[in-house]
Amino acid sequence: CGLAWGLWRGVMVGMEAAKNGNGMPAGEELSGLLGDPGALAQILIALISTGGAALVLYFWRRRATPAERAQSHRNARRGTTWGWTLLVAACVFIGSSLISWIGKQFGIEPAPTNLPLMEQALANYPLLLVVFAVFLAPAYEELLFRRVLFGRLWAAGRPWLGMLLSGTAFALVHEVPGTSPNGLPEMLLLWLIYGGMGIAFAWLYRKTGTLWAAIAAHAINNAIALGALVWFGAQ
């Protein structure tokens, strides 16, 4: 979807240059004219690309059987499931805050690459941002990284490898190498935070036996982050 947007912008810039009788701009001028997709476009790109990939892979490789769905629903009705969910959500928040604090003591203060998107969306589409960040993104990300990736290795008898790989993939998708203004120390810190989240959510999924627990913990974490952005701004 991002490639399609880039091609479309390239065509528009080329048509405008031809209309004005100018040659095609190059280098930094072209990059500036192409620009970046706005918050709404980026949200739609994420929904279609990552969300679409999650659905395709789920139905193609890891679709739940009727027995698995029934067991998941039974597990979701247990009080202990939601006790574990709240505990993991709290641990993720505390752990992320602690890692960020330690990094700050060493002068490492990364800026997540999705921060400008969230700030722009919060200013222009606050309700859409809440729906996307708290409900949609946790659902399709947990479906992809926990149900599909982690679940496949869990079913193969290698759950700890699945936790590690799904956590690594989760971190790399959120902070793609080469697309961030952060330096290497900042990137490593963000990967540690996101990777730890991914591992925690996979552990919770295995512990409770229902993906709804991982989705809920993920949603709580995103809601806290969004609330912090609203009340305290980017720190």
Side-chain angles (χ1 to χ4, degrees):
C1 294
L3 177 60
W5 181 89
L7 291 173
W8 175 78
R9 284 294 300 146
V11 170
M12 293 297 102
V13 170
M15 291 176 63
E16 185 66 23
K19 179 181 177 180
N20 296 331
N22 301 324
M24 191 68 176
E28 293 184 3
E29 182 183 359
L30 176 59
S31 177
L33 290 171
L34 290 175
D36 294 319
L40 181 59
Q42 291 185 61
I43 288 174
L44 292 176
I45 287 171
L47 281 174
I48 295 171
S49 58
T50 311
L55 288 173
V56 168
L57 290 171
Y58 169 75
F59 285 108
W60 180 35
R61 303 295 296 178
R62 289 289 299 161
R63 185 173 184 175
T65 65
E68 286 178 319
R69 287 195 294 271
Q71 184 62 53
S72 175
H73 291 158
R74 284 193 294 270
N75 293 340
R77 288 194 292 267
R78 295 175 179 167
T80 54
T81 292
W82 303 108
W84 282 113
T85 299
L86 292 174
L87 179 61
V88 168
C91 288
V92 165
F93 173 72
I94 294 170
S96 300
S97 301
L98 180 60
I99 292 171
S100 297
W101 181 83
I102 293 174
K104 191 173 183 179
Q105 307 313 301
F106 291 92
I108 304 173
E109 299 184 60
T113 54
N114 62 359
L115 182 58
L117 163 66
M118 293 183 65
E119 292 176 328
Q120 186 183 22
L122 185 61
N124 297 286
Y125 315 101
L127 181 59
L128 176 61
L129 178 61
V130 171
V131 172
F132 173 73
V134 180
F135 298 101
L136 297 179
Y140 70 69
E141 288 182 356
E142 292 309 304
L143 190 67
L144 176 61
F145 294 107
R146 255 55 73 184
R147 171 64 192 180
V148 175
L149 180 54
F150 166 70
R152 189 158 183 83
L153 287 163
W154 181 13
R158 308 186 75 178
W160 294 105
L161 178 60
M163 290 181 193
L164 179 61
L165 292 181
S166 67
T168 300
F170 186 71
L172 292 176
V173 164
H174 282 81
E175 293 295 329
V176 182
T179 65
S180 170
N182 290 302
L184 181 59
E186 289 77 14
M187 288 292 292
L188 291 174
L189 188 71
L190 289 171
W191 284 339
L192 180 60
I193 291 173
Y194 283 120
M197 288 182 186
I199 292 172
F201 297 151
W203 181 89
L204 178 63
Y205 175 31
R206 183 179 183 224
K207 176 67 177 180
T208 61
T210 177
L211 191 65
W212 291 110
I215 292 172
H218 194 156
I220 292 170
N221 180 78
N222 285 9
I224 293 173
L226 188 56
L229 182 62
V230 171
W231 291 105
F232 304 110
Q235 298 296 321

